Amino acid sequence: MGLLSIIVPCYNEEAAVEAFYARTSAVCAKLPAVDVEYIFVDDGSADGTLAVLKALAGRDRRVRWLALSRNFGKEAALYAGLEHARGDWAAVMDADLQDPPELLPELLETVRGGGYDCAAVRRVDRRGEPPIRSWFARRFYQVINKMSKTEIVDGARDYRLMTRQMVDAVLRVTEYNRFSKGIFSWVGFRTKWVETVNAERAAGESKWSFFKLLVYALDGIIAFSTAPLAIASVLGLVFCVVSFVAIVFVIVRQILWGGSAFGWPSLVCIILFLAGVQLFCIGILGQYLSKTYLEVKGRPIYLLRESGGGDSGEKQA
Ligand code: UDP
Ligand code: MG
């Protein structure tokens, strides 16, 4: 017998957790030769999520819960869950049933078979998603894969099952700006992609506004690529060359024809444009600097308020 840890980050999911637990435990009951533990991470929910989790833990000793001291974001919640997992394998899933638990047996077999260290799920369509969002999502994957050496698979969900070895590897990546899709790929190991169709949220609503997703995408690019820094330098170089050519042109024209005092509107345009490019490049620098600043502070990725469930009983952390 081995132990499978199922890690579920929950943020305001009181409406979804029960349904998640019911459907997942029905599937897990049929998993051959494996014990299961659930680790629900309450990511500073403002609703009754924690109460629901405590009630679950009271009914089922396999359920453990962690309550973070505030909302740290899904990535931090995942890290907290992985750190507390005791399993020989760990699966990470969303609480909203968008990650169908029915795939668990296949994922587990894939990893237990020995050929793979990780089985991950990607969706092959984006049905039920606003078209604009899908369009931007696809562009994001194109851009980040051009810019970064770490492969970020389009449609990859954060739904995956890993061996203990890979979990430990992920835990060793202790950066503060966590872009999980990138980290899972960066640590390497052999990953098998299992395909599924998009499932809609079971209850509650998505925590991701378009703006939040945009910021997340930019964070992902900055965390896994330094190409924007190179773009800034290349832009600078290109403009140097262009201005050099322009200077030669102006001098030659002056010598041959003379009298070139006209043209200030074009000058203003050029100055404005160059000022814009400069600010843009400084902005890129600023982005990297701010991330570096946060990393250098070395703050903890998450803080625990309390935890409980399982055999440990309730305790304050
Ligand atoms: N989540 C979290 N902390 C957050 C935001 C989300 O733990 O700050 C959890 C959420 O409870 C869910 C998962 O992350 O289990 C995915 O969130 P959501 O379904 O809102 O994202 P979407 O599926 O729309 O991308
Ligand atoms: Mg969801």
Side-chain angles (χ1 to χ4, degrees), residues 13 94-98 157 199-201 205-208:
E13 299 283 10
D94 285 0
D96 57 8
L97 285 171
Q98 277 189 303
R157 296 198 51 84
E200 299 216 24
R201 200 170 228 291
E205 55 191 47
S206 174
K207 314 298 176 297
W208 295 87

Side-chain angles (χ1 to χ4, degrees), residues 16 26 33 36 38 64 79 93 121 144-145 166 172 175 196 215 255 257 260 265 269 272 282 285 290 292 313:
V36 172
Y38 296 89
R64 290 161 63 200
Y79 188 86
M93 302 172 73
V121 176
I144 196 167
N145 279 318
M166 183 158 164
R172 280 185 60 193
E175 60 200 47
T196 180
V215 172
I255 291 170
W257 293 285
S260 61
C269 294
L272 279 181
I282 294 175
L285 282 180
S290 70
T292 313

Side-chain angles (χ1 to χ4, degrees), residues 20 24 112 224 313:
F20 171 87
T24 309
R112 218 161 28 176
F224 277 89

Side-chain angles (χ1 to χ4, degrees), residues 159-272:
Y159 181 17
R160 55 176 68 222
L161 192 149
M162 301 168 271
T163 57
R164 166 57 40 191
Q165 192 188 18
M166 183 158 164
V167 171
D168 289 340
V170 169
L171 288 174
R172 280 185 60 193
V173 182
T174 52
E175 60 200 47
Y176 184 79
N177 294 291
R178 301 187 74 75
F179 182 65
S180 290
K181 288 183 178 47
I183 293 173
F184 287 138
S185 167
W186 185 88
V187 295
F189 297 100
R190 296 159 300 175
T191 298
K192 176 167 183 191
W193 289 97
V194 176
E195 300 194 339
T196 180
V197 291
N198 193 23
E200 299 216 24
R201 200 170 228 291
E205 55 191 47
S206 174
K207 314 298 176 297
W208 295 87
S209 64
F210 185 78
F211 183 71
K212 261 177 123 179
L213 274 177
L214 186 69
V215 172
Y216 181 66
L218 290 178
D219 279 352
I221 291 177
I222 289 167
F224 277 89
S225 162
T226 49
L229 290 174
I231 293 175
S233 329
V234 169
L235 269 182
L237 202 70
V238 167
F239 279 111
C240 282
V241 171
V242 170
S243 70
F244 182 74
V245 171
I247 289 169
V248 170
F249 171 77
V250 168
I251 292 176
V252 170
R253 192 177 65 170
Q254 177 69 24
I255 291 170
L256 294 185
W257 293 285
S260 61
F262 49 87
W264 70 266
S266 53
L267 253 180
V268 169
C269 294
I270 293 168
I271 290 172
L272 279 181

